[in-house]
Amino acid sequence: MVNFYQAEKKAPAAKAFEVTCSALDIQGRGVCKHEGRVYFVEDLLPGEVARIVPQLSAGVTSANAAKEKVATAKVSKYILTSPLRQEDSCPLQQQCGGCPLAYMPSELALKAKVAGVAKLLTKSVLQGTMEAKSSKASTSHGSSKLGKNSTIKQALAAKQAQAKNIARQKELQALTQEAAAAVSKASYMHTGAELGYRRACRLAVRTSHGRLYLGFREGKTQELVPVSSCAVLTPRLNALLEPLQSLVNTLEGKKNLGHVELLDTDGAAGVLLRLTKKAEIADVERLQAFAAEHHVVLSLLEPFKQLDDTEVVRERLLYDEGAEAAEAAAPEANSNGELQLSSALYVQSGDCKVYCSPSSFVQVNAAMNSRMVQQVLTEVEPHEGQKVLDLFSGLGNFALPIAKGGAEVVGIDIVSDMVRRATYNAQANGVADRARFYTADLESPFEAQLWAKDQYDVVVMDPGRMGAKRAVQYVAKLQPKKIVMISCNPLAAARDCSQLLAAHYKIQSWGAFDMFPRTRHIEILLVFTRESD
């Protein structure tokens, strides 16, 4: 028998249909309902009417997708737009992925994100409180003074037990609902300028016809969008974009350039170039001349050969705006390859100066970070004799001002360079006797370390986007009087909250900081106290 080739039948294209947006979700997407399904649609505001096209996830067929109750969709045509919709404030807004919520007022975006966080926390409270309290539910089988084998006794006992358990379940439900109601609204929402606030960024590099272009990634395709100005960057960083574009194209080793990072501090501005090979001497001289002309601290992240001939990536300071000319021209770090911190590059944290390098992680929004540090100090109430554990401590953003307030602080971070620099910052701010820093991977076994065996009055945590799953388990067993958790990922925070609530903690308060206006991100701060307190 001859087998003839038959082309595989393609699934029919999804058809567009009309919807009305009723609300926004935690990511700022429009929420629409159609024929029993909920659709999340980007670039759609409450009250707007549009035709939308459902989107299929990778590996999902149309037949399977039709069974789902929740789906995503994209707008194919606007029928009625909201008067709140904002005009593009940047010529690259439709290409660059840096400001996905720029079309809506910042107040509306913030309220949507905070409302979404409240729903997540409420769910965590319901789950965690029920788990913590259910162990106290009555297991009574009743009692009776009648004979041992009396059927009347058994009936009375069963009825008595049922009544007790019903009463306990009602009490448990009431306690759970009360706890959930306490977190249904944020205690505060801090916001600031939505333009000109970003003091740190990474510029990607693209090569075209032998020329380098610096820019940001496009939102959906990840293609590079060249930029010469960005509305959310600080004026000082904007002023560096075009000169840097010219500079990188004069370098002999420009093909070795991976990316460029910019940092605007309360002192000088910093520039970091990531190289795949060590810079040529001629390029070092060009970079130093550029740094001197533009009054920036400039360093390179490049391969470095250690004394045992192994190669690592290290940061090398090429020009320090805060040093004398002879010192600024020194091309090498110390004998261990360790970067010497610049005296001109620092961010203010409370009453402390946190010295850093161009590669250092700092909160991108100076105004919001200042408010967040103040909120942490308000919650911790540092004083002499108090012991505070700061997990994921970084350069000492929270640990240093807490120690300045009189408390004894132990800071923990996985990055040894961060720990070394935090220790330097403790000395520079006169709190080395009260602030100690150690290296530990908080997602791996660390409980045997000496600092982990100590007792603490307060624990402060500021984990990355993955949250603090293992660290929360440790803290729950540690049982400090108060826990202050900062999170940039509400989903991870909600998961970690459930563990603390199950360990008989309660959320005393929580609030939000609009650290990243015009984006889907939100920073939250939660305060936990022990129920016995």
Side-chain angles (χ1 to χ4, degrees), residues 267-283:
V271 176
L272 172 78
L273 277 67
R274 172 69 165 91
L275 302 177
T276 56
K277 291 184 179 180
K278 191 170 182 178
E280 302 288 341
I281 294 177
D283 285 345

Side-chain angles (χ1 to χ4, degrees), residues 177-435:
Q177 292 298 329
E178 182 183 352
V183 300
S184 61
K185 291 184 179 179
S187 301
Y188 51 83
M189 293 188 297
H190 291 304
T191 187
E194 63 176 297
L195 300 177
Y197 74 87
R198 192 175 182 97
R199 64 178 177 183
C201 74
R202 173 179 290 192
L203 299 168
V205 178
R206 186 188 72 187
T207 304
S208 179
H209 301 290
R211 181 171 177 79
L212 295 187
Y213 294 91
L214 304 178
F216 301 125
R217 297 293 182 187
E218 190 171 343
K220 296 175 182 177
T221 67
Q222 292 299 301
E223 291 293 325
L224 184 134
V225 179
V227 294
S228 57
S229 179
C230 174
V232 299
L233 290 183
T234 62
R236 186 154 57 170
L237 294 190
N238 264 316
L240 288 171
L241 293 179
E242 289 191 356
L244 275 170
Q245 176 72 64
S246 300
L247 169 69
V248 297
N249 279 286
T250 67
L251 300 178
E252 294 179 7
K254 63 181 182 181
K255 66 179 180 179
N256 301 322
L257 181 62
H259 65 255
V260 177
E261 295 182 28
L262 305 180
L263 177 62
D264 189 1
T265 74
D266 294 305
V271 176
L272 172 78
L273 277 67
R274 172 69 165 91
L275 302 177
T276 56
K277 291 184 179 180
K278 191 170 182 178
E280 302 288 341
I281 294 177
D283 285 345
V284 168
E285 293 174 351
R286 290 187 181 94
L287 293 169
Q288 289 174 340
F290 173 88
E293 178 185 354
H294 294 277
H295 305 287
V296 298
V297 176
L298 192 146
S299 64
L300 300 178
L301 201 61
E302 59 187 355
F304 176 83
K305 185 168 288 189
Q306 301 184 109
L307 296 177
D308 60 358
D309 281 342
T310 57
E311 195 170 72
V312 296
V313 176
R314 286 283 175 85
E315 186 176 359
R316 177 163 62 121
L317 187 64
L318 290 190
Y319 185 87
D320 183 357
E321 175 65 13
E324 296 295 331
E327 297 174 3
E332 297 291 344
N334 65 21
S335 59
N336 295 322
E338 294 178 346
L339 177 74
Q340 301 304 299
L341 296 182
S342 167
S343 61
L345 218 59
Y346 64 88
V347 294
Q348 199 72 31
S349 181
D351 294 332
C352 298
K353 285 184 177 181
V354 181
Y355 293 94
C356 52
S357 74
S359 69
S360 295
F361 169 79
V362 301
Q363 293 287 0
V364 300
N365 193 321
M368 288 300 101
N369 185 63
S370 178
R371 293 188 184 184
M372 191 162 63
V373 170
Q374 187 55 54
Q375 189 67 41
V376 169
L377 292 175
T378 299
E379 300 296 347
V380 173
E381 297 180 298
H383 55 271
E384 190 174 346
Q386 183 187 43
K387 297 186 70 172
V388 179
L389 178 62
D390 182 10
L391 301 178
F392 311 94
S393 54
L395 294 172
N397 188 42
F398 300 120
L400 296 174
I402 290 173
K404 198 81 168 179
E408 181 183 338
V409 187
V410 172
I412 310 298
D413 201 275
I414 187 175
V415 182
S416 57
D417 270 356
M418 285 282 200
V419 170
R420 183 180 61 81
R421 295 175 187 186
T423 300
Y424 171 85
N425 280 317
Q427 295 170 347
N429 285 278
V431 293
D433 59 329
R434 295 194 299 276

Side-chain angles (χ1 to χ4, degrees), residues 492-532:
R495 176 203 67 203
D496 296 339
C497 279
S498 295
Q499 293 189 58
L500 292 175
L501 293 166
H504 302 287
Y505 277 90
K506 64 179 180 180
I507 299 178
Q508 177 180 294
S509 64
W510 71 276
F513 300 84
D514 200 11
M515 189 73 71
F516 315 94
R518 297 160 67 102
T519 76
R520 299 185 178 96
H521 301 292
I522 187 72
E523 198 95 3
I524 59 175
L525 187 150
L526 303 105
V527 180
F528 300 84
T529 55
R530 288 202 308 249
E531 288 187 328
S532 58

Side-chain angles (χ1 to χ4, degrees), residues 18-21 43-51 75 77-83 85:
E18 185 176 312
V19 295
T20 300
C21 178
D43 204 358
L44 198 61
L45 294 175
E48 291 188 327
V49 181
R51 290 184 66 79
V75 175
K77 181 181 178 181
Y78 291 99
I79 297 173
L80 177 65
T81 57
S82 168
R85 180 172 286 275

